[in-house]
Amino acid sequence: MGLKRLLKASLTYSLFIIIIGCSTNAGEEAEFPPSMNAVAEVDGTDYQMEKGNEQWVRKKGLETETVSTDHASPNQMADHLTPIMIKPDQKVRIKIEDEPVIKVYLWNDTGKEKEIKLEDHQFTVPSSKGNYIYEVLAEWPNGKASFTFAAEVQ
């Protein structure tokens, strides 16, 4: 009789743990689409980048949920951005949440000009004075997003 009671109590306790575990996770749904923080760091100061296009995918049971946005191009976005004032040949560090794969592109008035080489999430701005538009493409396993910032080399 004692073994039967022990098994019944053990089964009841296990079922209780499973129910508590499931109900705890049920209310904690992750934000979708996620809002990733992206900054360009120059000389120890962080400058928020403007978010552009993004695309996110997540599995929800047997369903797949996708969010995709369309935004103005980086050169159009730069028209309303306050440029980061920067010295010639200064380094810019790109910092984005959750360690995505990052690519940086220089834009001109007509479109994407060239990819900028990153080393340890940093690149060096040109030595020539002028205004520059940078697009940062970040890619995670479940999505990708574009960010833009403008720089004025003085």
Side-chain angles (χ1 to χ4, degrees):
M1 189 87 151
L3 182 60
K4 203 174 193 183
R5 194 177 290 158
L6 181 62
L7 286 173
K8 189 174 180 180
S10 179
L11 182 59
T12 303
Y13 180 73
S14 296
L15 188 56
F16 176 75
I17 295 298
I18 290 169
I19 291 169
I20 295 297
C22 291
S23 66
T24 301
N25 292 333
E28 296 176 13
E29 193 165 314
E31 176 186 8
F32 188 76
S35 57
M36 297 300 187
N37 189 36
V39 297
E41 179 192 321
V42 178
D43 202 22
T45 302
D46 288 347
Y47 298 90
Q48 194 70 42
M49 289 190 270
E50 183 84 14
K51 187 186 288 185
N53 297 336
E54 60 183 326
Q55 182 177 359
W56 297 95
V57 177
R58 77 171 169 182
K59 300 278 186 197
K60 217 174 174 185
L62 297 175
E63 297 178 12
T64 300
E65 194 173 358
T66 303
V67 172
S68 193
T69 63
D70 194 20
H71 204 280
S73 67
N75 54 0
Q76 292 169 325
M77 290 168 65
D79 287 342
H80 74 274
L81 295 177
T82 303
I84 299 168
M85 299 302 172
I86 194 165
K87 298 174 189 147
D89 295 317
Q90 193 165 16
K91 293 215 180 280
V92 174
R93 177 180 293 280
I94 304 300
K95 300 187 316 190
I96 303 176
E97 278 183 77
D98 292 343
E99 301 296 321
V101 174
I102 298 171
K103 289 185 179 179
V104 177
Y105 295 95
L106 178 63
W107 279 66
N108 59 34
D109 292 339
T110 60
K112 197 180 291 187
E113 190 173 309
K114 67 178 181 176
E115 185 172 352
I116 303 296
K117 185 179 182 217
L118 280 179
E119 197 170 302
D120 192 30
H121 297 282
Q122 295 184 93
F123 69 94
T124 305
V125 297
S127 56
S128 304
K129 291 182 180 185
N131 293 311
Y132 298 89
I133 303 164
Y134 293 98
E135 177 186 29
V136 178
L137 294 178
E139 192 165 341
W140 297 266
N142 64 327
K144 55 187 172 183
S146 168
F147 302 92
T148 298
F149 71 95
E152 182 178 332
V153 177
Q154 303 172 331

